[in-house]
Amino acid sequence: MNTTPRVSVQDLHRAAAEVLRLNDLGTMTTAAPNLYPHMWSWDAAFVAIGLARINVPRAITELRTLLAAQWSTGMIPHIVFSENSTDYFPGFDRWGTESARARPSGIKSSGICQPPVHAIALRQILDRGRANGGADQEAAETFLAESFDGWLAWHRWLATVRDPDAAGLIEIHHGWESGFDNSPRWDGPYARVQAGTVPAFTRRDTLHVADTGERPDDSEYTKYLWLVQQMASVEYDDEAVRNVVDFRVRDVFFSAIMAAASDVLAALGEEIGRSSDAGELRDFARRFRDGVASTIDPLSGLARDYDILAGEWISTDTVSGFAPLVSGGGESLLAAQRKLLLGPDWMGHPGLRFPLPPSTSPSSAAFRPRTYWRGPVWPFLNLLLGWASQRDGQNEIYQALKAASLDQLADLRFGEYYEPFTGEPLGSLNQAWTAAACLEWIGPDWQVRTA
């Protein structure tokens, strides 16, 4: 039974907005105080969505700061380092991107990427700006026109460099690129990584959790750092990385976001008269949508990743299996996916505190309810699933995700992730993209005054 204390939507909105204010460095929003003092790529997109609900110009600044870190190849790095803290590990000095020729001078960043949700954020900013009118509308429309080429270059880089065989599936070179860092999805590929000599390191993430079991252990982290060293050894040259890195996986959920975001960016391009570029983006969307659909496991009905180096499918009961719900696709496939999502292994599991999909199914042997991507519920991901449901006219699922998400966040602690059975917030509290998701779920509802 849900016993979360009731709070007014105005109080929830106020608390979420305060988290973004406290995490604001002026031109970027730190992902969370203390633990994550820098900007993360897909975090920034979700943060911008939330910011657009309260301050359109500030939302624009968030994406502008991220785009300024774009490499000359078109790649957008997964971390843009602020001067706010030197305590984060692995910091800029550990990434070895100083010698990467494609990195823009004067900007410190990592050398890998994350899923391209940015066009979805750009769409939300534009919609909020137009709804507000006046200076907000002008700023949003100007930003779309001036930034479009950057986002287009980003999608082109992914479609060519990260899908060299035109399989319709994005290749990643590190579990961190997926955003699902230590998911069971990567157990097989990581088991085959034989790390060489890695300099000693002191982690910071384990200092911010009550139980270190929530996080990957040091042996896993050594492999993470080894992959970084491999990429740095060839100065992050795109072609050379494929020849040296020990982790090459076609990521189905990343690919689904690529499909969805390419369609969104295409529509934005059409609005500003970029019809040829929009056609190219539509082609990307079709390619990756078809690629996602091609991965379905006939036994589970879930989408799968593909381990290139091992030459085998990766079948896991993780939330990434619902990639088609993000990419879109044929109605029979989507109907089957919705049935699974609402079923007893996922949102309909009787033990859940809130009917929200855990990162790994409680029915899976790999399920660990308190360990990062191996079981906890992630609020930003539910927002993405809600966005896709609304896009596809699935209002019932959208409303179910919205209601449960707002109930989950009513403790006003804005956890990084949540224990699925107890609803306990875990990881770093006052997480920016969790607060941003809350603001987007609330939308304009907070302005309603009851008698």
Side-chain angles (χ1 to χ4, degrees), residues 118-145:
H118 313 93
I120 298 171
L122 184 60
R123 173 84 263 175
Q124 299 299 95
I125 290 172
L126 186 64
D127 288 349
R128 299 291 82 74
R130 287 174 172 168
N132 295 348
D136 280 359
Q137 179 173 348
E138 181 179 357
E141 291 179 344
T142 298
F143 180 64
L144 167 60

PDB file of all heavy atoms in Angstrom, residues 118-145:
ATOM      1  N   HIS A 118      19.013  14.973 -26.986  1.00  0.00           N
ATOM      2  CA  HIS A 118      19.039  16.436 -27.004  1.00  0.00           C
ATOM      3  C   HIS A 118      17.985  17.052 -27.910  1.00  0.00           C
ATOM      4  O   HIS A 118      17.445  18.119 -27.598  1.00  0.00           O
ATOM      5  CB  HIS A 118      20.437  16.900 -27.407  1.00  0.00           C
ATOM      6  CG  HIS A 118      21.507  16.168 -26.649  1.00  0.00           C
ATOM      7  ND1 HIS A 118      22.110  15.017 -27.155  1.00  0.00           N
ATOM      8  CD2 HIS A 118      22.032  16.365 -25.420  1.00  0.00           C
ATOM      9  CE1 HIS A 118      22.980  14.564 -26.266  1.00  0.00           C
ATOM     10  NE2 HIS A 118      22.956  15.360 -25.206  1.00  0.00           N
ATOM     11  N   ALA A 119      17.689  16.417 -29.039  1.00  0.00           N
ATOM     12  CA  ALA A 119      16.676  16.976 -29.933  1.00  0.00           C
ATOM     13  C   ALA A 119      15.311  17.000 -29.265  1.00  0.00           C
ATOM     14  O   ALA A 119      14.501  17.900 -29.520  1.00  0.00           O
ATOM     15  CB  ALA A 119      16.620  16.168 -31.232  1.00  0.00           C
ATOM     16  N   ILE A 120      15.054  16.006 -28.419  1.00  0.00           N
ATOM     17  CA  ILE A 120      13.788  15.982 -27.685  1.00  0.00           C
ATOM     18  C   ILE A 120      13.727  17.173 -26.737  1.00  0.00           C
ATOM     19  O   ILE A 120      12.684  17.839 -26.615  1.00  0.00           O
ATOM     20  CB  ILE A 120      13.638  14.654 -26.933  1.00  0.00           C
ATOM     21  CG1 ILE A 120      13.595  13.476 -27.927  1.00  0.00           C
ATOM     22  CG2 ILE A 120      12.390  14.656 -26.050  1.00  0.00           C
ATOM     23  CD1 ILE A 120      13.673  12.109 -27.280  1.00  0.00           C
ATOM     24  N   ALA A 121      14.841  17.471 -26.082  1.00  0.00           N
ATOM     25  CA  ALA A 121      14.897  18.649 -25.207  1.00  0.00           C
ATOM     26  C   ALA A 121      14.726  19.931 -26.010  1.00  0.00           C
ATOM     27  O   ALA A 121      14.026  20.866 -25.580  1.00  0.00           O
ATOM     28  CB  ALA A 121      16.218  18.662 -24.447  1.00  0.00           C
ATOM     29  N   LEU A 122      15.345  19.998 -27.174  1.00  0.00           N
ATOM     30  CA  LEU A 122      15.226  21.174 -28.029  1.00  0.00           C
ATOM     31  C   LEU A 122      13.769  21.408 -28.434  1.00  0.00           C
ATOM     32  O   LEU A 122      13.281  22.549 -28.437  1.00  0.00           O
ATOM     33  CB  LEU A 122      16.108  20.984 -29.266  1.00  0.00           C
ATOM     34  CG  LEU A 122      16.212  22.139 -30.259  1.00  0.00           C
ATOM     35  CD1 LEU A 122      16.779  23.386 -29.582  1.00  0.00           C
ATOM     36  CD2 LEU A 122      17.085  21.734 -31.448  1.00  0.00           C
ATOM     37  N   ARG A 123      13.067  20.342 -28.752  1.00  0.00           N
ATOM     38  CA  ARG A 123      11.643  20.437 -29.082  1.00  0.00           C
ATOM     39  C   ARG A 123      10.834  20.985 -27.910  1.00  0.00           C
ATOM     40  O   ARG A 123       9.965  21.843 -28.079  1.00  0.00           O
ATOM     41  CB  ARG A 123      11.127  19.051 -29.456  1.00  0.00           C
ATOM     42  CG  ARG A 123       9.630  18.909 -29.677  1.00  0.00           C
ATOM     43  CD  ARG A 123       9.229  19.306 -31.076  1.00  0.00           C
ATOM     44  NE  ARG A 123       8.742  20.653 -31.189  1.00  0.00           N
ATOM     45  CZ  ARG A 123       8.428  21.242 -32.350  1.00  0.00           C
ATOM     46  NH1 ARG A 123       8.601  20.584 -33.486  1.00  0.00           N
ATOM     47  NH2 ARG A 123       7.983  22.476 -32.396  1.00  0.00           N
ATOM     48  N   GLN A 124      11.139  20.478 -26.710  1.00  0.00           N
ATOM     49  CA  GLN A 124      10.416  20.937 -25.527  1.00  0.00           C
ATOM     50  C   GLN A 124      10.679  22.414 -25.256  1.00  0.00           C
ATOM     51  O   GLN A 124       9.759  23.162 -24.889  1.00  0.00           O
ATOM     52  CB  GLN A 124      10.815  20.101 -24.309  1.00  0.00           C
ATOM     53  CG  GLN A 124      10.504  18.617 -24.414  1.00  0.00           C
ATOM     54  CD  GLN A 124       9.030  18.336 -24.582  1.00  0.00           C
ATOM     55  OE1 GLN A 124       8.541  18.178 -25.700  1.00  0.00           O
ATOM     56  NE2 GLN A 124       8.315  18.271 -23.471  1.00  0.00           N
ATOM     57  N   ILE A 125      11.918  22.844 -25.412  1.00  0.00           N
ATOM     58  CA  ILE A 125      12.253  24.253 -25.222  1.00  0.00           C
ATOM     59  C   ILE A 125      11.481  25.126 -26.214  1.00  0.00           C
ATOM     60  O   ILE A 125      10.927  26.175 -25.854  1.00  0.00           O
ATOM     61  CB  ILE A 125      13.766  24.474 -25.370  1.00  0.00           C
ATOM     62  CG1 ILE A 125      14.514  23.858 -24.179  1.00  0.00           C
ATOM     63  CG2 ILE A 125      14.106  25.960 -25.509  1.00  0.00           C
ATOM     64  CD1 ILE A 125      16.017  23.853 -24.337  1.00  0.00           C
ATOM     65  N   LEU A 126      11.454  24.697 -27.459  1.00  0.00           N
ATOM     66  CA  LEU A 126      10.737  25.462 -28.475  1.00  0.00           C
ATOM     67  C   LEU A 126       9.249  25.547 -28.161  1.00  0.00           C
ATOM     68  O   LEU A 126       8.638  26.615 -28.267  1.00  0.00           O
ATOM     69  CB  LEU A 126      10.955  24.826 -29.852  1.00  0.00           C
ATOM     70  CG  LEU A 126      10.380  25.586 -31.048  1.00  0.00           C
ATOM     71  CD1 LEU A 126      11.068  26.933 -31.214  1.00  0.00           C
ATOM     72  CD2 LEU A 126      10.521  24.757 -32.324  1.00  0.00           C
ATOM     73  N   ASP A 127       8.672  24.435 -27.748  1.00  0.00           N
ATOM     74  CA  ASP A 127       7.243  24.428 -27.420  1.00  0.00           C
ATOM     75  C   ASP A 127       6.938  25.329 -26.233  1.00  0.00           C
ATOM     76  O   ASP A 127       5.939  26.058 -26.222  1.00  0.00           O
ATOM     77  CB  ASP A 127       6.776  23.000 -27.135  1.00  0.00           C
ATOM     78  CG  ASP A 127       6.709  22.141 -28.384  1.00  0.00           C
ATOM     79  OD1 ASP A 127       6.829  22.691 -29.497  1.00  0.00           O
ATOM     80  OD2 ASP A 127       6.551  20.910 -28.252  1.00  0.00           O
ATOM     81  N   ARG A 128       7.809  25.276 -25.207  1.00  0.00           N
ATOM     82  CA  ARG A 128       7.585  26.130 -24.038  1.00  0.00           C
ATOM     83  C   ARG A 128       7.748  27.607 -24.412  1.00  0.00           C
ATOM     84  O   ARG A 128       6.997  28.467 -23.965  1.00  0.00           O
ATOM     85  CB  ARG A 128       8.567  25.786 -22.919  1.00  0.00           C
ATOM     86  CG  ARG A 128       8.509  24.371 -22.375  1.00  0.00           C
ATOM     87  CD  ARG A 128       7.274  24.051 -21.590  1.00  0.00           C
ATOM     88  NE  ARG A 128       6.152  23.696 -22.437  1.00  0.00           N
ATOM     89  CZ  ARG A 128       6.012  22.535 -23.093  1.00  0.00           C
ATOM     90  NH1 ARG A 128       6.952  21.607 -22.997  1.00  0.00           N
ATOM     91  NH2 ARG A 128       4.947  22.282 -23.827  1.00  0.00           N
ATOM     92  N   GLY A 129       8.753  27.901 -25.236  1.00  0.00           N
ATOM     93  CA  GLY A 129       8.977  29.274 -25.662  1.00  0.00           C
ATOM     94  C   GLY A 129       7.796  29.820 -26.436  1.00  0.00           C
ATOM     95  O   GLY A 129       7.359  30.964 -26.222  1.00  0.00           O
ATOM     96  N   ARG A 130       7.256  29.027 -27.336  1.00  0.00           N
ATOM     97  CA  ARG A 130       6.108  29.472 -28.126  1.00  0.00           C
ATOM     98  C   ARG A 130       4.860  29.620 -27.273  1.00  0.00           C
ATOM     99  O   ARG A 130       4.051  30.521 -27.498  1.00  0.00           O
ATOM    100  CB  ARG A 130       5.871  28.490 -29.266  1.00  0.00           C
ATOM    101  CG  ARG A 130       6.919  28.618 -30.369  1.00  0.00           C
ATOM    102  CD  ARG A 130       6.784  27.567 -31.440  1.00  0.00           C
ATOM    103  NE  ARG A 130       7.678  27.835 -32.567  1.00  0.00           N
ATOM    104  CZ  ARG A 130       7.934  26.978 -33.542  1.00  0.00           C
ATOM    105  NH1 ARG A 130       7.380  25.764 -33.540  1.00  0.00           N
ATOM    106  NH2 ARG A 130       8.746  27.307 -34.530  1.00  0.00           N
ATOM    107  N   ALA A 131       4.719  28.741 -26.293  1.00  0.00           N
ATOM    108  CA  ALA A 131       3.568  28.863 -25.395  1.00  0.00           C
ATOM    109  C   ALA A 131       3.647  30.152 -24.578  1.00  0.00           C
ATOM    110  O   ALA A 131       2.631  30.804 -24.323  1.00  0.00           O
ATOM    111  CB  ALA A 131       3.495  27.654 -24.470  1.00  0.00           C
ATOM    112  N   ASN A 132       4.855  30.516 -24.189  1.00  0.00           N
ATOM    113  CA  ASN A 132       5.046  31.742 -23.405  1.00  0.00           C
ATOM    114  C   ASN A 132       4.946  32.989 -24.273  1.00  0.00           C
ATOM    115  O   ASN A 132       4.516  34.053 -23.810  1.00  0.00           O
ATOM    116  CB  ASN A 132       6.408  31.727 -22.705  1.00  0.00           C
ATOM    117  CG  ASN A 132       6.519  30.640 -21.667  1.00  0.00           C
ATOM    118  OD1 ASN A 132       5.543  30.015 -21.285  1.00  0.00           O
ATOM    119  ND2 ASN A 132       7.746  30.387 -21.210  1.00  0.00           N
ATOM    120  N   GLY A 133       5.409  32.883 -25.523  1.00  0.00           N
ATOM    121  CA  GLY A 133       5.399  34.011 -26.428  1.00  0.00           C
ATOM    122  C   GLY A 133       6.490  35.020 -26.105  1.00  0.00           C
ATOM    123  O   GLY A 133       7.335  34.805 -25.229  1.00  0.00           O
ATOM    124  N   GLY A 134       6.476  36.128 -26.810  1.00  0.00           N
ATOM    125  CA  GLY A 134       7.385  37.230 -26.527  1.00  0.00           C
ATOM    126  C   GLY A 134       8.849  36.865 -26.632  1.00  0.00           C
ATOM    127  O   GLY A 134       9.287  36.181 -27.556  1.00  0.00           O
ATOM    128  N   ALA A 135       9.624  37.316 -25.640  1.00  0.00           N
ATOM    129  CA  ALA A 135      11.073  37.116 -25.649  1.00  0.00           C
ATOM    130  C   ALA A 135      11.440  35.638 -25.575  1.00  0.00           C
ATOM    131  O   ALA A 135      12.438  35.206 -26.166  1.00  0.00           O
ATOM    132  CB  ALA A 135      11.710  37.874 -24.494  1.00  0.00           C
ATOM    133  N   ASP A 136      10.643  34.837 -24.847  1.00  0.00           N
ATOM    134  CA  ASP A 136      10.931  33.399 -24.749  1.00  0.00           C
ATOM    135  C   ASP A 136      10.810  32.733 -26.113  1.00  0.00           C
ATOM    136  O   ASP A 136      11.639  31.893 -26.496  1.00  0.00           O
ATOM    137  CB  ASP A 136       9.984  32.727 -23.752  1.00  0.00           C
ATOM    138  CG  ASP A 136      10.410  32.936 -22.316  1.00  0.00           C
ATOM    139  OD1 ASP A 136      11.448  33.583 -22.087  1.00  0.00           O
ATOM    140  OD2 ASP A 136       9.695  32.453 -21.414  1.00  0.00           O
ATOM    141  N   GLN A 137       9.772  33.088 -26.837  1.00  0.00           N
ATOM    142  CA  GLN A 137       9.587  32.504 -28.160  1.00  0.00           C
ATOM    143  C   GLN A 137      10.718  32.914 -29.093  1.00  0.00           C
ATOM    144  O   GLN A 137      11.279  32.073 -29.817  1.00  0.00           O
ATOM    145  CB  GLN A 137       8.250  32.938 -28.759  1.00  0.00           C
ATOM    146  CG  GLN A 137       8.009  32.384 -30.162  1.00  0.00           C
ATOM    147  CD  GLN A 137       6.619  32.670 -30.683  1.00  0.00           C
ATOM    148  OE1 GLN A 137       5.739  33.099 -29.932  1.00  0.00           O
ATOM    149  NE2 GLN A 137       6.401  32.431 -31.968  1.00  0.00           N
ATOM    150  N   GLU A 138      11.067  34.169 -29.070  1.00  0.00           N
ATOM    151  CA  GLU A 138      12.151  34.648 -29.934  1.00  0.00           C
ATOM    152  C   GLU A 138      13.462  33.947 -29.602  1.00  0.00           C
ATOM    153  O   GLU A 138      14.200  33.519 -30.506  1.00  0.00           O
ATOM    154  CB  GLU A 138      12.305  36.159 -29.770  1.00  0.00           C
ATOM    155  CG  GLU A 138      13.393  36.738 -30.668  1.00  0.00           C
ATOM    156  CD  GLU A 138      13.538  38.245 -30.518  1.00  0.00           C
ATOM    157  OE1 GLU A 138      12.762  38.847 -29.759  1.00  0.00           O
ATOM    158  OE2 GLU A 138      14.444  38.819 -31.162  1.00  0.00           O
ATOM    159  N   ALA A 139      13.760  33.801 -28.319  1.00  0.00           N
ATOM    160  CA  ALA A 139      15.010  33.160 -27.915  1.00  0.00           C
ATOM    161  C   ALA A 139      15.043  31.696 -28.339  1.00  0.00           C
ATOM    162  O   ALA A 139      16.069  31.196 -28.819  1.00  0.00           O
ATOM    163  CB  ALA A 139      15.183  33.275 -26.405  1.00  0.00           C
ATOM    164  N   ALA A 140      13.927  30.993 -28.162  1.00  0.00           N
ATOM    165  CA  ALA A 140      13.869  29.570 -28.511  1.00  0.00           C
ATOM    166  C   ALA A 140      14.000  29.368 -30.010  1.00  0.00           C
ATOM    167  O   ALA A 140      14.725  28.467 -30.470  1.00  0.00           O
ATOM    168  CB  ALA A 140      12.571  28.963 -27.995  1.00  0.00           C
ATOM    169  N   GLU A 141      13.328  30.190 -30.792  1.00  0.00           N
ATOM    170  CA  GLU A 141      13.389  30.039 -32.246  1.00  0.00           C
ATOM    171  C   GLU A 141      14.771  30.417 -32.776  1.00  0.00           C
ATOM    172  O   GLU A 141      15.284  29.779 -33.700  1.00  0.00           O
ATOM    173  CB  GLU A 141      12.285  30.867 -32.894  1.00  0.00           C
ATOM    174  CG  GLU A 141      10.895  30.294 -32.608  1.00  0.00           C
ATOM    175  CD  GLU A 141       9.763  31.110 -33.209  1.00  0.00           C
ATOM    176  OE1 GLU A 141      10.000  32.280 -33.593  1.00  0.00           O
ATOM    177  OE2 GLU A 141       8.627  30.576 -33.290  1.00  0.00           O
ATOM    178  N   THR A 142      15.372  31.420 -32.178  1.00  0.00           N
ATOM    179  CA  THR A 142      16.734  31.802 -32.572  1.00  0.00           C
ATOM    180  C   THR A 142      17.722  30.682 -32.250  1.00  0.00           C
ATOM    181  O   THR A 142      18.605  30.355 -33.062  1.00  0.00           O
ATOM    182  CB  THR A 142      17.161  33.098 -31.861  1.00  0.00           C
ATOM    183  OG1 THR A 142      16.292  34.151 -32.255  1.00  0.00           O
ATOM    184  CG2 THR A 142      18.604  33.460 -32.196  1.00  0.00           C
ATOM    185  N   PHE A 143      17.574  30.082 -31.072  1.00  0.00           N
ATOM    186  CA  PHE A 143      18.485  29.005 -30.685  1.00  0.00           C
ATOM    187  C   PHE A 143      18.337  27.802 -31.603  1.00  0.00           C
ATOM    188  O   PHE A 143      19.328  27.178 -31.987  1.00  0.00           O
ATOM    189  CB  PHE A 143      18.240  28.597 -29.235  1.00  0.00           C
ATOM    190  CG  PHE A 143      19.146  27.493 -28.762  1.00  0.00           C
ATOM    191  CD1 PHE A 143      20.517  27.689 -28.679  1.00  0.00           C
ATOM    192  CD2 PHE A 143      18.638  26.247 -28.427  1.00  0.00           C
ATOM    193  CE1 PHE A 143      21.366  26.669 -28.264  1.00  0.00           C
ATOM    194  CE2 PHE A 143      19.471  25.220 -28.009  1.00  0.00           C
ATOM    195  CZ  PHE A 143      20.845  25.435 -27.930  1.00  0.00           C
ATOM    196  N   LEU A 144      17.127  27.468 -31.976  1.00  0.00           N
ATOM    197  CA  LEU A 144      16.927  26.360 -32.914  1.00  0.00           C
ATOM    198  C   LEU A 144      17.688  26.622 -34.207  1.00  0.00           C
ATOM    199  O   LEU A 144      18.425  25.748 -34.693  1.00  0.00           O
ATOM    200  CB  LEU A 144      15.436  26.182 -33.213  1.00  0.00           C
ATOM    201  CG  LEU A 144      15.090  25.283 -34.401  1.00  0.00           C
ATOM    202  CD1 LEU A 144      15.616  23.870 -34.198  1.00  0.00           C
ATOM    203  CD2 LEU A 144      13.579  25.269 -34.640  1.00  0.00           C
ATOM    204  N   ALA A 145      17.540  27.820 -34.755  1.00  0.00           N
ATOM    205  CA  ALA A 145      18.182  28.125 -36.033  1.00  0.00           C
ATOM    206  C   ALA A 145      19.705  28.112 -35.926  1.00  0.00           C
ATOM    207  O   ALA A 145      20.394  27.581 -36.809  1.00  0.00           O
ATOM    208  CB  ALA A 145      17.700  29.484 -36.537  1.00  0.00           C
TER     209      ALA A 145
END
